[in-house]
């Protein structure tokens, strides 16, 4: 095979491919391989491939052993990259190393594992409490009506916590499944905000919080799923009441944005502002991760599942909108969503 044919052949392979020829020199590589290794044709492969795993595999195959799969990690400044490769002998030509970046796949697998571990942990805590109280009610507290009532109260609280967790998990998976489908109906954000505030007024009053709604007149309707937007507003206002109660008031502001730079067009903004203790800046970027809580004890005590803002983020993404959280420790927090009008 002449060089031209080999080069055409390499160019047809979509993933990075390197051909190591006589004297262990890199004879040829395709464009994807050049993007990773640089233009290294002609040099000894050890000059550009340094990780022990691919080096050992190339050495073995160059020495005449059968080819095979190999996996290695390249430590980078920001993050590591994980590669999966195959080394193969091509009679008369040399040895090929083909590889692909599997970091994202591995990361997705890690996230799935973490998620399952988190869900199991979150369910196990109330379940353990329930089992413990059932046992106590059968034994020590059998004939003690006072204890029975108290324990039943705790059992109810734990069962409700599990119920909320399962409901949030279901709604998260529904939202994720629909994330690529844009809503087709149009919704009146001011109307939805008013009804969410009406639902939460009782909870707010019980926590000593005054709720106010301030809306610019004549706001345009936006493409949206009314149930999902209601859930977003509910989660944000409920959080502001739960965590910002010390500020005494929670305000919801709606306004029109003539030209939003990221949405590249007009939008409607809904901001939920509280004057409570606020959130330390270091937590802000992680708030929308599943089960991320600033203070897990406090969140659990308030009946939180740690999924509220993850649900908000997915719904806002589905609507091609933006979510922004600002906060100053000691002064309060501001969560804003902006939904496109078009
Ligand atoms: P949770 O069910 O724990 O409330 P969320 O996903 O809704 O879960 O929120 C994640 C975390 O973000 C909360 O545990 C809380 O620590 C923090 N948080 C959310 N909203 C506010 C707020 N308005 N003020 C202070 N902290 C907040």
């Amino acid at each position: 095979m002449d060089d031209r044919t080999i080069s055409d052949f390499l160019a047809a392979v979509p993933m990075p491919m390197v051909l190591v020829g006589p004297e262990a020199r890199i004879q040829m590589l395709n464009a994807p391989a050049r993007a990773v290794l640089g233009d290294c044709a002609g040099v000894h492969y050890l000059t550009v491939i340094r990780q022990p795993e691919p080096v050992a595999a190339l050495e073995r195959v160059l020495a005449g052993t059968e080819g095979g799969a190999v996996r290695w990690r390249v430590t980078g400044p920001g993050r590591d990259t994980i590669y999966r490769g195959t080394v193969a002998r091509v009679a008369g030509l040399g040895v090929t190393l083909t590889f692909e970046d599997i970091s994202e796949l591995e990361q997705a697998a890690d996230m799935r594992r973490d998620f399952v571990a988190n869900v199991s942990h979150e369910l196990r805590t109330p379940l353990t409490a329930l089992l413990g109280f059932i046992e106590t009610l059968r034994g020590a507290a059998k004939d003690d009506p006072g204890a029975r009532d108290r324990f039943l109260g705790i059992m109810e609280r734990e069962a409700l916590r599990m119920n909320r967790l399962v409901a949030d998990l279901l709604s998260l998976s529904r939202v994720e499944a629909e994330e690529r489908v844009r809503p087709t109906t149009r919704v009146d954000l001011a109307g939805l905000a008013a009804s969410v505030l009406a639902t939460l007024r009782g909870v707010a009053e019980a926590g000593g919080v005054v709720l106010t709604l301030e809306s610019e007149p004549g706001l345009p309707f936006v493409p949206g799923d009314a149930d999902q937007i209601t859930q977003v507003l509910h989660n944000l206002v409920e959080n502001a009441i739960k965590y910002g109660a010390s500020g005494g008031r929670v305000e919801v502001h709606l306004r029109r944005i003539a030209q939003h730079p990221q949405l590249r067009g007009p939008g409607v903004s809904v901001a939920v502002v509280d004057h409570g203790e606020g959130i330390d800046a270091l937590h802000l970027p992680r708030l929308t991760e599943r089960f991320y809580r600033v203070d897990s004890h406090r969140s659990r005590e308030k009946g939180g599942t740690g999924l509220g803002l993850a649900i908000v983020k997915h719904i806002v993404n589905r609507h091609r909108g933006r979510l922004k959280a600002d906060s100053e420790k000691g002064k309060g927090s501001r969560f804003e969503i902006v939904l496109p009008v078009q």
Side-chain angles (χ1 to χ4, degrees):
M1 239 195 278
D2 59 30
D3 276 7
R4 181 63 204 271
T5 318
I6 304 171
S7 157
D8 282 354
F9 178 75
L10 255 67
V13 177
M15 61 214 285
M17 187 175 202
V18 177
L19 172 66
V20 180
E23 287 159 30
R25 284 183 187 284
I26 293 182
Q27 197 180 330
M28 228 176 256
L29 65 168
N30 62 3
R34 231 173 285 129
V36 180
L37 302 172
D39 202 355
C40 55
V43 307
H44 193 287
Y45 74 84
L46 278 175
T47 324
V48 284
I49 300 168
R50 299 214 178 81
Q51 283 67 34
E53 301 86 352
V55 166
L58 280 166
E59 240 167 45
R60 270 198 314 273
V61 183
L62 283 165
T65 330
E66 276 287 298
V70 59
R71 188 176 175 287
W72 71 96
R73 177 186 289 265
V74 178
T75 318
R79 62 175 199 120
D80 290 0
T81 312
I82 301 162
Y83 290 105
R84 181 170 59 193
T86 309
V87 182
R89 190 139 32 92
V90 185
L93 276 184
V95 170
T96 57
L97 167 65
T98 324
F99 57 97
E100 63 184 322
D101 179 350
I102 56 161
S103 319
E104 270 178 27
L105 279 177
E106 298 258 315
Q107 208 184 354
D110 284 353
M111 275 170 70
R112 253 195 317 272
R113 257 194 309 276
D114 283 356
F115 182 61
V116 172
N118 275 325
V119 171
S120 315
H121 174 78
E122 297 286 336
L123 281 171
R124 187 143 78 197
T125 317
L127 204 50
T128 308
L130 280 175
L131 289 170
F133 284 116
I134 290 172
E135 183 138 344
T136 320
L137 285 174
R138 282 204 165 131
K142 203 170 172 185
D143 303 312
D144 179 345
R148 200 168 52 214
D149 275 357
R150 209 170 56 246
F151 293 160
L152 281 172
I154 304 175
M155 288 168 74
E156 183 180 27
R157 217 173 52 223
E158 297 298 332
L160 286 171
R161 172 196 301 288
M162 284 170 54
N163 207 22
R164 266 196 310 274
L165 183 64
V166 172
D168 276 358
L169 284 169
L170 283 175
S171 100
L172 192 59
S173 84
R174 242 193 330 266
V175 176
E176 272 184 326
E178 287 175 346
E179 201 161 333
R180 288 172 203 287
V181 192
R182 270 199 92 175
T184 47
T185 47
R186 294 185 87 84
V187 296
D188 165 25
L189 288 175
L192 294 180
S195 67
V196 166
L197 291 202
T199 324
L200 287 169
R201 195 138 268 141
V203 187
E205 270 164 22
V209 175
V210 177
L211 285 180
T212 56
L213 174 68
E214 190 195 296
S215 175
E216 219 176 78
L219 286 174
F221 282 27
V222 298
D225 177 316
D227 287 344
Q228 289 189 342
I229 298 295
T230 301
Q231 191 169 12
V232 164
L233 299 176
H234 190 277
N235 289 2
L236 293 180
V237 177
E238 196 182 35
N239 276 351
I241 299 171
K242 273 196 303 200
Y243 303 108
S246 60
R249 65 201 153 91
V250 168
E251 296 134 22
V252 180
H253 304 280
L254 281 94
R255 69 191 166 97
R256 190 192 156 93
I257 295 183
Q259 181 69 25
H260 189 278
Q262 286 160 313
L263 300 180
R264 297 210 189 92
V268 175
S269 144
V270 186
V272 180
V273 182
D274 71 66
H275 304 274
E277 72 226 44
I279 308 162
D280 210 292
L282 81 116
H283 297 293
L284 288 178
R286 299 197 57 192
L287 290 183
T288 56
E289 284 175 25
R290 294 151 189 211
F291 299 115
Y292 188 86
R293 295 154 162 132
V294 175
D295 175 346
S296 3
H297 179 72
R298 183 128 185 270
S299 154
R300 290 210 176 84
E301 198 184 86
K302 304 243 171 214
T305 60
L307 294 174
L309 290 176
I311 295 173
V312 166
K313 185 187 80 177
H314 281 288
I315 295 178
V316 172
N317 282 350
R318 181 188 173 205
H319 287 75
R320 312 276 190 277
R322 293 288 182 272
L323 166 69
K324 192 158 161 270
D326 292 302
S327 184
E328 201 174 329
K329 197 90 185 106
K331 297 227 165 121
S333 313
R334 181 176 189 276
F335 286 82
E336 181 191 31
I337 61 160
V338 184
L339 299 181
V341 173
Q342 301 307 330

